[in-house]
Amino acid sequence: MPYEKVCLMVAMVISVILSVLLAGNFARDAQVTVIDLDNSAYTRELINRIDASEYMEVTAVLNTPADPRELMYRDQAYAVVYFPRGLEKDRYTGTAANIGVFYDNTNSANTSNMKEALNEIVGLDNAAAQGDTGSTNDTLSGTVSLAERELFNPQHSTENGTSMYFLFFFGAMFFTFATIGMIPRLRLTHQLDKILLEGTPWDLIARVLPYAGCLIVSWVVGLAVFRIWGDLIFSGSLLQFLLIQAFMTVTIGMLSLFFGWTAANPGIASSRMILFIPGGFIMGGSTGPVAFFSQWAVDFSHIFPLTWQFHFVRDIIQRGAGLGDISKEIGAFMLYMACVAILFCWRFYSAKRAAEKRVKGAAEHQEKLDKLAAEIKEA
């Protein structure tokens, strides 16, 4: 490794990329869903105030009761604001009223700015009712307060957040270290050409499956330790989560073989892990809130497999979603997996054609040598 060049390159790339990705440093226009059972002029005014905040964006308004947990699946909302029936009446008759707020606490940093903004909106409204803001509206008399509830990780447990994300990150990283050098090892032991000439892409994928099985077992053991030793809340179905992991580990395995294919030896291949594993850890919502990133960064992050992994972790493990609840997300992941499979097959058959050409060239060369030897013998 030409370290004198690599160290400067890494410093420049990290400083530029992270400066762009983390430029906001706060949850700008984080998604909020409103359940408005009052459907009055007053609640519509409050909705407009919420939407006008730079920290929040109202993405949906429902006029019927709904489970706030389900509204947070697939990161559709980081908070659900609940306006009860009779809120406007209570506001103008001097009766104290509550506005319910449910926060998605899978990452508490997602909602910190939203909490401040909602408290500010309610505080200004109460000040207007007391005549402290110079408002000419003297019909307001009741006070409003926020009744807050944090969902999924109310105690801010690290087992339900940082520790669990590190479990999946390091598991995927060492799985990649174990498999990314497989093609160079086969090439060095002269087994690769035989597989290319006689086999299919599945013959290489099958070599990854034992590693994938070990990875899944290690993840389950780690989650069990968090559950028994710590206070992990596993809200969903373990079997459904394992079904997703069967596809996830194969996808990571195909990417590992793809990126390590052209490496001269396993050591060089291992260094390429950085190309597709850490990006998902950084941008997938484990180290920093997804709401801190611009939308283009959120979309771009889905080229990394761990971004999808952390989506499933949040939805199935933390929020308790079933496969039907996140069918759109699963469908999108299957398309991603299909794209990875196409790239892997393209790499395999490109190498197969090159191997066939080498074998054909060697055969022709041997034929010429045999012909020349025969001519020499006759002479």
Side-chain angles (χ1 to χ4, degrees):
M1 178 190 299
Y3 183 70
E4 70 280 2
K5 298 178 182 178
V6 172
C7 64
L8 292 176
M9 186 182 300
V10 170
M12 289 300 298
V13 170
I14 294 300
S15 59
V16 171
I17 291 179
L18 292 186
S19 294
V20 173
L21 293 179
L22 304 178
N25 201 33
F26 65 91
R28 184 189 302 274
D29 290 336
Q31 296 96 317
V32 175
T33 297
V34 176
I35 301 175
D36 185 4
L37 300 185
D38 196 39
N39 195 21
S40 61
Y42 175 65
T43 57
R44 287 191 290 272
E45 180 184 351
L46 289 179
I47 292 172
N48 289 334
R49 292 183 190 174
I50 294 172
D51 194 48
S53 169
E54 65 175 328
Y55 303 111
M56 297 175 287
E57 177 185 6
V58 177
T59 55
V61 178
L62 307 178
N63 298 119
T64 56
D67 187 345
R69 293 176 176 81
E70 297 180 0
L71 300 176
M72 294 174 181
Y73 293 162
R74 296 182 289 115
D75 294 333
Q76 294 180 101
Y78 296 105
V80 175
V81 180
Y82 184 94
F83 294 142
R85 289 186 178 90
L87 179 62
E88 183 181 52
K89 178 182 177 181
D90 292 341
R91 194 71 178 91
Y92 286 96
T93 57
T95 304
N98 288 325
I99 295 175
V101 186
F102 299 88
Y103 293 109
D104 181 350
N105 205 41
T106 54
N107 190 321
S108 58
N110 272 323
T111 58
S112 57
N113 298 119
M114 300 168 64
K115 292 176 181 178
E116 295 179 7
L118 286 172
N119 281 310
E120 181 180 354
I121 290 172
V122 169
L124 290 174
D125 195 68
N126 287 330
Q130 301 300 322
D132 294 337
T133 62
S135 172
T136 58
N137 188 351
D138 57 357
T139 59
L140 295 173
S141 55
T143 58
V144 175
S145 59
L146 292 178
E148 301 178 345
R149 183 179 178 186
E150 295 182 342
L151 302 179
F152 313 127
N153 186 20
Q155 296 179 339
H156 300 267
S157 167
T158 57
E159 281 89 351
N160 292 288
T162 305
S163 299
M164 181 171 58
Y165 288 131
F166 272 112
L167 170 68
F168 291 106
F169 169 59
F170 282 111
M173 186 174 70
F174 283 96
F175 169 74
T176 301
F177 283 143
T179 58
I180 199 169
M182 185 178 295
I183 300 299
R185 285 196 297 270
L186 292 173
R187 186 183 296 115
L188 292 174
T189 56
H190 306 291
Q191 301 179 60
L192 181 59
D193 280 351
K194 182 179 179 181
I195 296 174
L196 292 173
L197 294 172
E198 301 176 3
T200 65
W202 176 251
D203 293 296
L204 290 175
I205 296 174
R207 290 173 174 264
V208 175
L209 295 183
Y211 296 92
C214 291
L215 176 61
I216 293 175
V217 170
S218 71
W219 279 343
V220 172
V221 170
L223 292 173
V225 171
F226 283 149
R227 183 69 184 91
I228 298 171
W229 181 268
D231 54 1
L232 173 68
I233 301 174
F234 200 111
S235 302
S237 167
L238 177 60
L239 291 178
Q240 292 181 357
F241 182 71
L242 291 179
L243 178 62
I244 294 294
Q245 297 316 298
F247 294 100
M248 178 63 66
T249 52
V250 171
T251 301
I252 298 175
M254 286 191 292
L255 283 171
S256 182
L257 296 180
F258 177 82
F259 279 99
W261 196 292
T262 59
N265 57 67
I268 294 176
S270 296
S271 65
R272 299 181 180 180
M273 179 277 301
I274 197 173
L275 297 176
F276 65 101
I277 292 297
F281 180 67
I282 296 171
M283 304 175 65
S286 59
T287 58
V290 175
F292 279 23
F293 299 129
S294 301
Q295 186 58 45
W296 69 265
V298 175
D299 296 337
F300 174 77
S301 70
H302 287 85
I303 69 172
F304 303 111
L306 284 189
T307 297
W308 297 97
Q309 174 74 336
F310 293 140
H311 276 305
F312 295 130
V313 167
R314 287 193 293 271
D315 280 334
I316 298 177
I317 293 181
Q318 296 181 283
R319 296 169 181 148
L323 297 184
D325 298 318
I326 55 174
S327 57
K328 291 182 179 179
E329 188 174 350
I330 293 174
F333 172 70
M334 290 302 171
L335 290 176
Y336 172 80
M337 183 178 179
C339 292
V340 171
I342 290 171
L343 285 174
F344 179 74
C345 290
W346 167 79
R347 174 67 76 182
F348 179 90
Y349 286 109
S350 296
K352 183 183 182 73
R353 288 191 295 270
E356 290 173 345
K357 183 180 291 188
R358 286 196 304 272
V359 171
K360 183 179 180 181
E364 291 176 351
H365 182 66
Q366 185 63 41
E367 184 180 350
K368 290 179 180 179
L369 292 176
D370 291 342
K371 184 177 180 181
L372 180 60
E375 291 176 352
I376 293 173
K377 185 176 181 180
E378 291 176 0

